[in-house]
Amino acid sequence: QVQLQESGPGLVNPSQTLSLTCTVSGGSITTNLYYWSWIRQPPGKGLEWIGAIASIDTPRYNPSLESRTSISRDMSKNQFTLQMSSVTPEDTAVYYCARAGGGFYFWDYWGQGTQVTVSS
């Protein structure tokens, strides 16, 4: 059973960088079969795909967020991370990490989500 767990600060100041880590257990992120993904859900809105990384591909990003988003992985720790710079209150959301197979949006395993609030 694959499990994903997000971790990181719940409060970020405007204009700073949001940094979250997803720790994966029960499966390896070194496999080429899956995209390891970040998704968010702002309050009162639907899910928004942020980006994803696979073992052999370069990361892929939502074009609307690409200029200030970076996803990387640490295979030795079986973790992948999200960094989003120059955050504003509009980046306040529940952030999820997930595994996708068969395409960027076919998520089959999710973390429980972590609330990130951007506020001074």
Side-chain angles (χ1 to χ4, degrees), residues 64-75:
S64 69
L65 300 171
E66 184 170 10
S67 65
R68 57 190 186 94
T69 301
S70 176
I71 297 175
S72 60
R73 59 185 181 265
D74 185 336
M75 294 184 182

Side-chain angles (χ1 to χ4, degrees), residues 14-48:
S15 81
Q16 299 300 304
T17 296
L18 178 161
S19 183
L20 296 174
T21 297
C22 184
T23 302
V24 180
S25 59
S28 173
I29 67 169
T30 63
T31 178
N32 296 333
L33 297 176
Y34 303 107
Y35 289 98
W36 302 95
S37 312
W38 288 99
I39 304 115
R40 69 183 183 180
Q41 186 168 27
K45 297 184 179 181
L47 295 173
E48 179 179 32

Side-chain angles (χ1 to χ4, degrees), residues 3 14 20-22 34 40-41 45 51 55 58 60 69 77-78 82 85 87 96 99 102 109 111:
Q3 293 183 319
L20 296 174
T21 297
C22 184
Y34 303 107
R40 69 183 183 180
Q41 186 168 27
K45 297 184 179 181
S55 179
T58 58
R60 309 291 183 91
T69 301
K77 295 181 179 179
N78 219 36
L82 168 69
S85 62
V87 295
Y96 298 93
R99 189 184 81 170
Y109 288 98

Side-chain angles (χ1 to χ4, degrees), residues 89-110:
E90 286 65 42
D91 294 308
T92 294
V94 178
Y95 285 75
Y96 298 93
C97 59
R99 189 184 81 170
F104 290 124
Y105 311 117
F106 292 90
W107 306 298
D108 54 2
Y109 288 98
W110 292 72

